[in-house]
Amino acid sequence: MAALARLQARLSGLREEYFRRNRYLRKMTIVIQKWWRGYRSRRYFRKMVKIQKRWRGYYVRKYIHNYYALKKYLEAISVNNEIIRSELQKYTEMKENEEKRKDLEKKEKEKQYQARKMHYLLSTEQIAGIYNSPFRKSPDPMELLLRKSKPLSHRRQQTKSPFACELHDWPTCKRPPSFSTAQPLPCIGRQKPQGPFRDPAEVLRQRYKPLEPTLRVAASISSPLEKAREEMKREEWRNRVHDNEFLPFSSYHKNEKYDPSIHRSGKYGQEAYGIKHFREVQPKKWVTDKDFRTVLPSIVLFEKFGKTYSRTGQIV
Amino acid sequence: MSQRQVLQVFEQYQRARTQFAQAVAELASRPQNIETLQNAGVISLLRPLLLDVVPTVQQTAALALGRLANYNDDLAEAVVKGDILPQLVCSLSEQNRFYKKAAAFVLRAVAKHSPQLAQAIVQCGALEMLVICLEDFDPGVKEAASWALEYIARHNSELSQAVVDAGAVPLLVLCIQEPEIALKRIAASTLSDISKHSPELAQTVVDAGAIAHLAQMILNPDAKLKRQVLSALSQIAKHSVDLAELVVEAEIFPVVLTCLKDSDEYVKKNGATLIREIAKHTPELSQLIVNAGGVAAVIDCIGSCRGTVRLPGIMMLGYVAAHSENLSMAVIVSKGIPPLCACLLEEQEDHIKAAAAWALGQVGRHTPAHARAVAVANVLPTLLAMYVDTRSSEDLQMKTKKALKNILQKCTYLPALEPLLHDAPPNIMKHIVGQFSKVLPHDSKARRLFVTTGGLKKVQEIKAEPGSLLQEYISTINNCYPEEIVRYYSPGYSEMLLERVENYHPVL
């Protein structure tokens, strides 16, 4: 008996010793295995780094910092710049030509006006004018101009106001407003009215100026949106084939009977078949009224099948 | 006394008043008379004539007052202190258009001198009357009213806000659409002065739909109108990215580029200002401008102008180049550097030179390729000379120093760096020597050139504190060469050799 007790004590001591040594070994195994696993995966990691390094270089060079695309873009910019420069050059040339043309026209008009004023200098049969000297082979161009031009009438012409040239620039006013000043208005026999006066030409221009309504005045009361809507309605009414409107689909099906589905088509509501059970049950054909029963527990492990955690949501 | 004699007295008086008003109006149009008129107390005499029965006397008196107030701010203050403004404002509503024009002229003449006078005008309730005048049929009245509003709004943002609160902006946008060119000009400049103060005011102007009309008017042939329109668009675009994008969406490119080729200098300047205000916000907007060919047009514009007209164009190139290196390369490829160098050399004004230096710094600071493009244009000695020059203003010196530093830190083009070695101040010398120390260890041809051009000799002559960065660079350079060469070029070597000769005992 005592020997048994002694054996048991030694057994427990041995057991502790065994577990202690086991614990130490276990720790050592864990350390070695950790190091080994790290080493293996780092080898793979280095291989993967090589692949990724290559892939990143390729991707960046091809899509983000594409050198060739940049070069092409810069070439395209130079080409575009050349085009823009040539177009702007053409534009400036055009403007310069216009300016020159305007100047020339002005000078021409001046010359013609002078010729009309100095019409009396035209040479006659008897007396040669100053521009038609007998010692010259052909008459001066001024002489020719004098021959062509009509003499200015004695009547005082309207003073050319400085607005005349500006008027041509107005976008809506293509020609200066011409109003009849063939005869000046007869003077009324009253004393001279007082005050600073505007130029009569200006006053007459203002008085006979055609109406140029602003946008607010010219637009009709009903806004363009409403007009467009009315127009659209009229067009639709015109183009319709028959006048019955299309009804919405809910009213199409208004008079139809409702077919319930199979889940609801029992006499008193839901049928149990299909929801509660699927197979038919015929208790009369049953051999016994007891269920199957396990006779022997065959394999302990297989008994636990489906029962370890929960069975259809119930905790075992 | 018979009735006729009584009436004659009145007629005489009326004639006298009219004559007086007309004479004063005519005298006031010449500046030399105004002092005399002021001393004679003309304002107090003209004041009762404003309420005269005869309309022509009223108008002439108002015209005379306007001319007087236009001349200097003392008279304008006298007009304000003489309580004339409330009378003008009251009678504005019921009189005919000549009077309205004259009264608006007086208000404009008073408002233009200082913000306090403009505030006085706002306080006596003139804004509502002016806005009512803006709805008048006569374009001359509208022009006078909007001119007065422009001079009020120009001073500061509170006055602009007061003008906007009076409801002037939609009417001004309508005025822009009128056919008369003078009215369009004034309305455009009023909108420009309103929107220049703050983003909220600019947003108000944009909400009234001004941008579309202004963008259409860029095509108008009149030069003064184009000036105002471009100025208005640039004042709107300068505040924020959204406003700039709105202006760009109005499809001003590439039409605006034709403005850069206009014969009028100020049209070019305002066009360049508009493009600059758009380009400075984000790289995407700059990219848009570059893709539309704006950079080439601006470069041509800089080449063809002289003076302050060039300044916005130079700044625009600087802003575009500052955003990213691709845009900077685009500027280089469009041949932007020669005009900038020309500006640096030709211009007399310091602020234009400073702007050109800044722009070159922005172009060259990104990568060695950019710095090389700038260095090849031989502009670094000019920058250095400007930095060292004592007559340059402080701003110019700072900008040239920054530009030099930015370019030098990336420049590996040694032939351009050589001339700088000889007369650079120590803080720039550090960068130059640093660049040499980066390039020389790797390039043997460059090392040879460095020796033959006398660079090594110069480097030896530089005195540097031991332990400083400059000393490190010098030692790096010295390590590239064999010891004999370094000793040969070090200062005082000839004396050392001669000393050795002296101390040498010949071996017989």
Side-chain angles (χ1 to χ4, degrees), chain B residues 129-141:
Chain B
M129 289 297 128
L130 286 172
V131 169
I132 292 179
C133 280
L134 271 181
E135 294 179 331
D136 198 276
F137 288 113
D138 184 51
V141 172

Side-chain angles (χ1 to χ4, degrees), chain A residues 160-176:
Chain A
K160 242 175 137 188
S161 64
F163 297 123
C165 42
E166 271 185 40
L167 286 176
H168 288 280
D169 295 332
W170 290 9
T172 53
C173 182
K174 293 299 168 197
R175 42 162 194 82

Side-chain angles (χ1 to χ4, degrees), chain B residues 54-111:
Chain B
V54 181
T56 29
V57 176
Q58 278 179 1
Q59 283 148 224
T60 330
L63 186 63
L65 268 175
R67 285 188 185 155
L68 285 169
N70 204 6
Y71 179 66
N72 69 5
D73 46 348
D74 287 333
L75 281 167
E77 264 200 61
V79 166
V80 170
K81 283 207 197 107
D83 265 343
I84 297 183
L85 294 177
Q87 293 173 2
L88 271 178
V89 171
C90 289
S91 38
L92 248 183
S93 41
E94 64 239 16
Q95 295 296 340
N96 63 7
R97 55 199 163 94
F98 299 108
Y99 186 78
K100 282 188 192 172
K101 270 200 265 193
F105 175 47
V106 176
L107 290 172
R108 158 167 65 112
V110 169

Side-chain angles (χ1 to χ4, degrees), chain A residues 73 80-81 194 206 214, chain B residues 14 18 97 178 287 291 334:
Chain A
Y73 171 69
N80 194 22
N81 283 348
Q194 23 172 305
Q206 188 182 348
T214 59
Chain B
Q14 189 177 323
T18 333
R97 55 199 163 94
E178 299 279 334
Q287 183 81 54
N291 290 349
S334 320

Side-chain angles (χ1 to χ4, degrees), chain B residues 335-380:
Chain B
K335 306 191 190 69
I337 299 188
L340 286 175
C341 303
C343 285
L344 206 56
L345 289 168
E346 289 168 359
E347 291 294 330
Q348 317 296 336
E349 306 266 319
D350 271 358
H351 61 273
I352 307 182
K353 288 203 264 202
W358 170 78
L360 281 167
Q362 296 302 323
V363 168
R365 74 179 165 106
H366 298 278
T367 71
H370 296 81
R372 185 202 173 102
V374 174
V376 159
N378 210 15
V379 75
L380 295 175

Side-chain angles (χ1 to χ4, degrees), chain B residues 133-361:
Chain B
C133 280
L134 271 181
E135 294 179 331
D136 198 276
F137 288 113
D138 184 51
V141 172
K142 284 197 260 207
E143 184 185 329
S146 59
W147 210 338
L149 285 171
E150 174 192 344
Y151 278 24
I152 294 176
R154 158 191 295 204
H155 293 286
N156 59 29
S157 59
E158 284 87 26
L159 290 166
S160 287
Q161 189 63 48
V163 169
V164 169
D165 290 336
V169 174
L171 292 167
L172 285 169
V173 174
L174 280 174
C175 281
I176 280 193
Q177 305 165 38
E178 299 279 334
E180 288 83 22
I181 293 269
L183 181 55
K184 282 200 229 240
R185 278 184 211 151
I186 307 288
S189 71
T190 314
L191 286 174
S192 158
D193 279 333
I194 289 178
S195 48
K196 80 181 180 195
H197 296 286
S198 83
E200 291 82 28
L201 289 164
Q203 189 65 48
T204 322
V205 170
V206 168
D207 289 337
I211 291 189
H213 301 294
L214 288 172
Q216 270 174 352
M217 292 202 289
I218 296 183
L219 296 163
N220 196 297
D222 184 56
K224 289 190 183 150
L225 176 61
K226 275 198 273 208
R227 278 188 213 172
Q228 303 299 339
V229 163
L230 290 169
S231 150
L233 285 171
S234 61
Q235 303 289 4
I236 292 176
K238 80 179 183 193
H239 293 288
S240 80
V241 185
D242 299 317
L243 289 168
E245 278 176 4
L246 279 172
V247 172
V248 169
E249 272 166 31
E251 288 175 26
I252 49 173
F253 289 102
V255 179
V256 145
L257 303 179
T258 55
C259 296
L260 290 174
K261 283 279 185 179
D262 202 272
S263 43
D264 189 79
E265 296 281 310
Y266 287 100
V267 172
K268 285 198 231 187
K269 182 177 179 194
N270 288 352
T273 314
L274 173 61
I275 302 186
R276 172 191 82 188
E277 301 296 350
I278 294 179
K280 80 178 186 195
H281 291 288
T282 69
E284 286 80 27
L285 284 168
S286 300
Q287 183 81 54
L288 197 128
I289 295 178
V290 168
N291 290 349
V295 169
V298 168
I299 290 171
D300 285 348
C301 172
I302 294 179
S304 62
C305 309
R306 298 280 173 271
T308 36
V309 180
R310 278 171 155 173
L311 184 62
I314 299 176
M315 290 178 74
M316 179 256 176
L317 288 178
Y319 280 126
V320 166
H323 282 298
S324 87
E325 56 180 62
N326 295 345
L327 288 169
S328 171
M329 189 49 92
V331 169
I332 294 176
V333 157
S334 320
K335 306 191 190 69
I337 299 188
L340 286 175
C341 303
C343 285
L344 206 56
L345 289 168
E346 289 168 359
E347 291 294 330
Q348 317 296 336
E349 306 266 319
D350 271 358
H351 61 273
I352 307 182
K353 288 203 264 202
W358 170 78
L360 281 167

Side-chain angles (χ1 to χ4, degrees), chain A residues 15-31:
Chain A
R15 224 196 209 166
E16 280 176 29
E17 178 81 26
Y18 172 68
F19 278 145
R20 216 184 323 130
R21 284 217 195 111
N22 225 4
R23 238 176 277 146
Y24 181 65
L25 265 175
R26 195 174 273 199
K27 275 196 202 144
M28 290 297 111
T29 332
I30 288 177
V31 165

